[in-house]
Amino acid sequence: MQAKLALADGTVFTGRGFGATGETTGEVVFNTSMTGYQEVLTDPSYTGQIVTMTYPLIGNYGTTPDDQESTRVQVAGFIVRELTRVPSNFRSNNSLDGFLKASNVVGIEGIDTRALVRRLRVRGSMNGILSTADLDDASLVKKAREFPGMEGRDLVSEVVPKQAFKWKDGFGAFADHVIPSKPATKRVVAIDYGMKWNILRCLTQVGCEVTVVPGTASADEVLSHNPDGIFLSNGPGDPAAVGYAIDTVKNLIGKKPIFGICLGHQLLGLAFGAKTFKLKFGHRGANQPVRNELTKQIEITTQNHGFSVDPSTLPSNVVPTHINLNDNTLEGLKHTSLPVFSVQYHPEAAAGPHDSSYLFEDFRKMMG
Ligand SMILES: NC(=O)CC[C@H](N)C(=O)O
């Protein structure tokens, strides 16, 4: 079945539809991971985004419940160069096509993803529409231009869990090869703004019993659990648009040790009084080089973000700890006297390299 992808700049790509049929709008972004498409699809930070994979063959190992990063597919749409027809893997119980169909998410294959990505790199991430229903170019471009975009939008409230819960799924099927597992001796409250489950697996692995609370929780609700430490999760949308979350973080700083990842890092920056801005085309992939400024070691990292904390706006008692070597943007910060630190990238990988898993150990040690 024919499908079209139209961008707000007027470009139209024609390919074949897979997954669900229908129409979807979103910010079109690209991810440079060679594998890990299921983790990408189920990462809630991609809410409102149509993701294209730069790797040309996607779907070859199918999908499996073990690789879920949340309860469902979260991307608005999915773009690949070539969809594998016959997946082959003993862990797989569904094809990528069947997985997207069951999740009612539209995909397109057979378009020139290199041309698309070059366009996004030159002009920046763009709004777009993916459709198997409307195939009229002018109408599609008009609809793409009407999409409101990511800036100023609170998408967190769409993906937070409805109520608090305890993480009972341990460290999952494969995580024990990565970090030696420890008995649970620390109690952590994880504030969930759209959290990837591998963060919960990694926290469990280093010896934390984790209570998850919705990202809309107040500081009092968080502190009522009397945790040894507080974790701030990743999540979708513009960090500056979630004032309630910034206020909660402000009220938690100095009360307990805090560790933040991605949106959690951006919220910490904003709570410290720094500013965030939108990157031209963001960082999404499993091959982003980062330098740890404290050890001068290089980590190859998994990333998924479109916004960034401006280091020149940090107060003097908050220092940069990690820098992205592709564009020198801020990738980590810490307070000079309080037990508070965060990273912009994803030390939980899922999928990606495990170079940065030491950060979970650092958090546990920080709790005493
Ligand atoms: N993975 C994340 O937490 C993303 C944070 C934020 N939504 C961004 O795009 O920058």
Side-chain angles (χ1 to χ4, degrees):
M1 182 205 330
Q2 212 179 47
K4 286 195 180 188
L5 167 75
L7 301 179
D9 73 349
T11 316
V12 179
F13 295 88
T14 303
R16 288 177 300 277
F18 72 99
T21 55
E23 192 165 291
T24 181
T25 48
E27 181 187 41
V28 183
V29 297
F30 63 90
N31 183 302
T32 57
S33 301
M34 292 173 73
T35 61
Y37 49 84
Q38 189 180 343
E39 291 90 325
V40 168
L41 290 168
T42 58
D43 174 353
S45 298
Y46 283 109
T47 300
Q49 293 173 322
I50 300 175
V51 181
T52 184
M53 303 300 286
T54 58
Y55 189 71
L57 180 69
I58 297 290
N60 45 324
Y61 54 88
T63 63
T64 163
D66 284 345
D67 289 351
Q68 289 288 100
E69 280 302 312
S70 69
T71 52
R72 60 182 175 89
V73 173
Q74 308 276 359
V75 303
F78 200 46
I79 305 166
V80 302
R81 175 75 188 92
E82 183 183 344
L83 175 74
T84 304
R85 293 281 158 238
V86 184
S88 174
N89 188 302
F90 74 99
R91 297 169 68 224
S92 168
N93 70 351
N94 204 351
S95 66
L96 176 55
D97 181 37
F99 185 65
L100 282 193
K101 265 198 187 80
S103 311
N104 204 26
V105 172
V106 187
I108 186 171
E109 63 152 336
I111 70 160
D112 185 349
T113 50
R114 283 179 302 183
L116 170 62
V117 171
R118 285 180 71 97
R119 195 157 283 264
L120 298 176
R121 281 181 58 100
V122 172
R123 302 196 173 178
S125 300
M126 252 184 276
N127 299 332
I129 183 165
L130 183 53
S131 187
T132 61
D134 180 359
L135 298 174
D136 178 70
D137 291 9
S139 151
L140 288 169
V141 170
K142 183 167 174 289
K143 285 187 243 179
R145 288 185 179 148
E146 280 161 10
F147 178 72
M150 302 302 278
E151 265 167 296
R153 281 180 76 196
D154 168 15
L155 295 171
V156 167
S157 50
E158 293 179 23
V159 295
V160 294
K162 294 212 168 30
Q163 58 209 28
F165 66 93
K166 277 219 154 56
W167 178 251
K168 296 240 169 66
D169 285 1
F171 41 76
F174 290 90
D176 55 337
H177 301 307
V178 182
I179 318 172
S181 56
K182 299 208 168 58
T185 53
K186 296 290 164 205
R187 289 175 46 242
V188 168
V189 168
I191 308 184
D192 187 337
Y193 307 108
M195 184 160 32
K196 282 172 69 189
W197 286 347
N198 214 45
I199 293 173
L200 293 168
R201 299 183 191 112
C202 290
L203 287 171
T204 305
Q205 187 117 21
V206 296
C208 302
E209 184 194 301
V210 191
T211 302
V212 181
V213 301
T216 46
S218 67
D220 285 345
E221 279 170 72
V222 173
L223 294 170
S224 71
H225 295 274
N226 195 24
D228 299 307
I230 296 164
F231 174 77
L232 312 175
S233 88
N234 64 294
D238 183 348
V242 278
Y244 56 89
I246 301 166
D247 287 344
T248 296
V249 175
K250 268 188 198 154
N251 290 326
L252 291 172
I253 291 171
K255 308 253 168 67
K256 299 279 175 182
I258 300 180
F259 173 34
I261 289 179
C262 213
L263 185 80
H265 157 84
Q266 297 167 350
L267 295 174
L268 257 181
L270 289 163
F272 280 130
K275 300 239 172 322
T276 51
F277 64 97
K278 195 165 189 304
L279 294 165
K280 189 174 177 190
F281 47 80
H283 302 156
R284 296 175 187 85
N287 52 0
Q288 293 272 333
V290 164
R291 187 176 58 228
N292 179 327
E293 294 299 278
L294 310 173
T295 64
K296 299 296 173 201
Q297 281 187 325
I298 311 299
E299 300 160 30
I300 303 300
T301 69
T302 296
Q303 300 203 12
N304 164 24
H305 66 115
F307 293 85
S308 193
V309 177
D310 178 352
S312 72
T313 61
L314 288 172
S316 56
N317 54 4
V318 178
V319 292
T321 54
H322 297 76
I323 300 292
N324 188 302
L325 294 177
N326 285 337
D327 62 6
N328 292 317
T329 53
L330 186 70
E331 292 288 352
L333 58 81
K334 79 181 195 53
H335 194 276
T336 49
S337 54
L338 297 171
V340 177
F341 74 107
S342 61
V343 285
Q344 179 65 79
Y345 56 93
H346 288 269
E348 82 284 6
H354 301 131
D355 301 21
S356 316
S357 57
Y358 68 91
L359 291 164
F360 292 99
E361 292 279 0
D362 286 357
F363 181 43
R364 188 181 50 85
K365 285 185 201 136
M366 202 169 79
M367 291 184 274

